[in-house]
Amino acid sequence: MKTLWIAALCAAGLSYVSTLHAQANTQAGQAVWKIATGYRAESFHTENLVQFGRDVEAATKRQLHIEVVPNGGLFKLNDIRQAVQDGKVEAGETIMTSMVKDIPVAGADSIPFVVGSYKRAQRLWQLQRPGMEREFAQRGMKILYAVPWPPQGLYTTRPVSTLTDFKNMKMRTYNQTTVRIAEMLGATPVDVAMVDVGKAVSSGRMDTMITSAVTGVENKVWGPIKYYYEINAWYPKNIVFVSAKSFEALAPDAQAAVMKVATDAENRGWITSEALAQTSTRELQANGIKVERISTDLETDFKRLGERFSREWVRSVGHQASDIFVPYYFN
Ligand code: PCA
């Protein structure tokens, strides 16, 4: 019920270059896809991607070999979608909000306080996927699967109970969405890539951030960071995709095998993400971070900011927003 008005608003109408041709034949007739990701090899998303690669190789009877290149080793996280589109690498994994400037509908999963559970996140993905597929097809790419990060919580070095507590804070951001949120909170946005969060925390470059428990654990943010508030703000997704040219170069049986294995990777990723949401929060706690609920005052203010954010988003995206949120709220 909480954000029904969004639906109302909608209803109102509101230098490594591997070219695609260089699908090196490592074995007679074997195609090779490099998959570029901006996240670490130890990240659960990347582990899932490596498993996908192994499954692809088996399911296609080695017609296709996958090589995952983690840690921004080929392209930076925010450049990966363009790199695949431009044919510089066969496939990629990135966070969907990295592309909102060109593909606004990709931002539907990062509107604060709309989705509050994995079940609702699934529903949102079902509704968002057709629009995303169209956008990717228009750019010569094919979506393989998408997996969410655990829910986004609020980390701080000092306790916060009102909006004014954010005034002199430096807030770590990871995309346009988080920049806008920092601005709305009156904090100073500081852009820090996921892989640099640990360093930024220990050197005092940031006092607060909104991200998942698993990202806090992976970057060992304990020490300077003292509080984690479980605000479940949104469930941002990573998306894995390939150039249509590379995909269509496969024999039909191999294409079908890749899509089947992609569905398995998606299912597996969602289950892992949900399990990690629990265990990572406990791990933050075990390392001395206080896991708390936010004050009711702050909760009310956050909801209001969320509504403002949603209004801005729906206005900028137009009918594609209604295609998602009218059924999300009414069906
Ligand atoms: N971790 C990534 C994106 C969302 C998340 O939970 C990050 O903090 O950059």
Side-chain angles (χ1 to χ4, degrees):
M1 281 296 131
K2 54 183 180 179
T3 328
L4 257 184
W5 62 270
I6 300 196
L9 211 68
C10 295
L14 271 192
S15 278
Y16 180 100
V17 178
S18 143
T19 70
L20 295 182
H21 310 288
Q23 288 176 345
N25 291 338
T26 45
Q27 235 173 251
Q30 188 184 46
V32 177
W33 293 357
K34 283 193 195 299
I35 306 189
T37 172
Y39 296 105
R40 292 189 186 99
E42 307 77 41
S43 178
F44 81 96
H45 285 292
T46 312
E47 286 174 352
N48 194 34
L49 187 59
V50 168
Q51 178 70 50
F52 165 76
R54 270 189 237 118
D55 293 351
V56 160
E57 188 139 346
T60 62
K61 304 199 178 57
R62 308 180 84 84
Q63 288 177 67
L64 174 59
H65 172 74
I66 300 247
E67 189 187 325
V68 173
V69 185
N71 225 5
L74 286 183
F75 298 96
K76 288 210 209 97
L77 186 72
N78 291 346
D79 299 332
I80 288 174
R81 197 262 316 159
Q82 192 68 51
V84 175
Q85 188 173 329
D86 293 345
K88 293 180 177 158
V89 61
E90 291 82 10
E93 167 159 355
T94 189
I95 189 162
M96 277 167 52
T97 44
S98 71
M99 57 191 85
V100 291
K101 231 161 134 197
D102 297 328
I103 308 180
V105 72
D109 64 15
S110 298
I111 303 171
F113 309 115
V114 168
V115 167
S117 67
Y118 275 92
K119 200 159 168 244
R120 295 303 282 161
Q122 277 275 7
R123 175 73 183 131
L124 180 67
W125 175 224
Q126 271 172 9
L127 294 166
Q128 189 186 16
R129 186 167 186 153
M132 286 293 288
E133 279 180 344
R134 272 194 303 275
E135 297 284 347
F136 270 62
Q138 278 164 17
R139 292 168 174 78
M141 292 178 290
K142 184 166 180 62
I143 293 174
L144 295 171
Y145 67 87
V147 169
W149 289 89
Q152 306 289 288
L154 174 69
Y155 291 82
T156 58
T157 49
R158 324 186 266 279
V160 286
S161 55
T162 66
L163 274 190
T164 44
D165 293 333
F166 289 93
K167 282 283 177 298
N168 294 313
M169 285 197 174
K170 290 170 290 213
M171 183 170 226
R172 179 256 167 169
T173 57
Y174 63 78
N175 55 26
Q176 268 185 294
T177 309
T178 44
V179 169
R180 186 70 192 111
I181 289 167
E183 286 168 0
M184 284 177 171
L185 290 171
T188 309
V190 188
D191 180 49
V192 179
M194 198 280 211
V195 290
D196 297 326
V197 163
K199 255 189 287 164
V201 166
S202 54
S203 64
R205 269 184 71 211
M206 50 179 272
D207 316 296
T208 181
M209 66 175 167
I210 298 180
T211 187
S212 57
V214 75
T215 291
V217 169
E218 214 184 287
N219 288 287
K220 299 190 170 44
V221 297
W222 37 83
I225 295 282
K226 304 272 189 290
Y227 296 88
Y228 180 68
Y229 300 89
E230 289 188 285
I231 58 173
N232 274 8
W234 64 89
Y235 292 66
K237 290 185 293 289
N238 275 9
I239 188 162
V240 179
F241 48 96
V242 60
S243 88
K245 204 164 167 183
S246 299
F247 185 78
E248 283 154 17
L250 298 175
D253 64 327
Q255 290 184 12
V258 168
M259 292 320 289
K260 157 78 176 65
V261 166
T263 305
D264 295 344
E266 179 158 307
N267 294 337
R268 188 174 57 234
W270 281 70
I271 291 168
T272 310
S273 176
E274 189 163 1
L276 277 175
Q278 308 288 327
T279 52
S280 304
T281 306
R282 283 201 293 272
E283 209 170 328
L284 291 176
Q285 214 158 19
N287 283 284
I289 292 183
K290 290 202 171 79
V291 177
E292 304 207 335
R293 285 190 61 87
I294 45 165
S295 67
T296 20
D297 274 4
L298 201 49
E299 191 169 0
T300 312
D301 287 335
F302 274 4
K303 294 262 142 90
R304 204 166 294 136
L305 290 182
E307 287 168 8
R308 214 174 114 200
F309 186 98
S310 316
R311 261 196 308 274
E312 290 179 3
W313 189 81
V314 167
R315 244 183 246 127
S316 69
V317 175
H319 75 90
Q320 280 186 315
S322 15
D323 291 350
I324 296 173
F325 285 110
V326 171
Y328 181 82
Y329 285 109
F330 293 113
N331 293 344

